[in-house]
Amino acid sequence: MKLHLLIGFTFVILILFGIPLDASEPEDAIKYQIDHLNSSDSVVRLLAKANLVYFGDKAVPLLLKAVEEGDLQTKIEAIQVLGHIGNPIAIDLLIKLFDHDHWEVRFYAIDAFRNLKSKKIIPKLKSKILHDEHKHVRSVAFLILRRIEDFDDT
């Protein structure tokens, strides 16, 4: 909910971050925001995520790269943005992250499927519910599995 409210203020945020609204190269603006995903300031990270959601599908290729190559904080934040954007291009990478060593990466990769509907994750979700070592990962896997099942029923 917070992220959706912030998107309404994106133009102000873009100005505050020093990005011209008529940026001819959105890739530079997207890179700038991705660079701020690992800020020690949670407000800066939240604003960067809101801006990246604003860029939408244009940001997806660079976000995928950030997930693959970034540090842990950047990876986690980029996964969250990919989940909010909901572009199916991210599905295969997110599924691979279900088996990541760090529990927060697994958690947010699974949670990203709130906006991404894919039946091919059902067996992986069931496995995570039964076998993941971390309770938060098991819980989010159960929640997303229920959402997918509810989506199929409608």
Side-chain angles (χ1 to χ4, degrees):
M1 182 69 167
K2 288 181 187 177
L3 193 56
H4 294 292
L5 291 174
L6 282 173
I7 293 171
F9 300 108
T10 300
F11 291 117
V12 173
I13 294 167
L14 287 171
I15 292 169
L16 289 175
F17 268 86
I19 300 169
L21 293 177
D22 62 342
S24 59
E25 291 297 327
E27 185 173 318
D28 292 337
I30 292 166
K31 286 179 183 177
Y32 181 84
Q33 298 304 316
I34 289 173
D35 288 344
H36 286 83
L37 291 178
N38 69 352
S39 172
S40 60
D41 186 333
S42 63
V43 174
V44 171
R45 289 193 313 269
L46 186 61
L47 294 174
K49 289 192 295 188
N51 287 330
L52 288 163
V53 170
Y54 169 78
F55 283 113
D57 291 337
K58 292 180 212 162
V60 170
L62 291 172
L63 285 165
L64 292 172
K65 184 176 180 183
V67 169
E68 291 175 334
E69 299 174 4
D71 62 18
L72 182 61
Q73 184 69 46
T74 300
K75 187 182 300 281
I76 290 169
E77 303 292 347
I79 291 166
Q80 292 176 41
V81 175
L82 287 167
H84 282 286
I85 292 172
N87 188 314
I89 292 171
I91 288 175
D92 289 335
L93 177 60
L94 291 170
I95 290 172
K96 286 181 196 174
L97 295 173
F98 284 14
D99 296 320
H100 194 274
D101 292 338
H102 197 279
W103 75 268
E104 285 181 281
V105 172
R106 296 192 308 273
F107 176 90
Y108 286 110
I110 293 168
D111 189 60
F113 283 88
R114 288 176 188 265
N115 294 326
L116 289 164
K117 304 296 183 224
S118 174
K119 288 184 179 182
K120 71 182 188 178
I121 68 167
I122 292 174
K124 294 278 275 182
L125 290 175
K126 289 179 179 178
S127 175
K128 288 292 162 190
I129 291 167
L130 295 173
H131 304 294
D132 198 275
E133 62 197 39
H134 202 279
K135 66 182 178 181
H136 296 314
V137 175
R138 293 190 304 268
S139 295
V140 77
F142 179 76
L143 174 73
I144 299 302
L145 181 61
R146 292 279 315 264
R147 284 180 158 229
I148 291 170
E149 290 172 345
D150 289 345
F151 180 72
D152 287 345
D153 291 342
T154 58

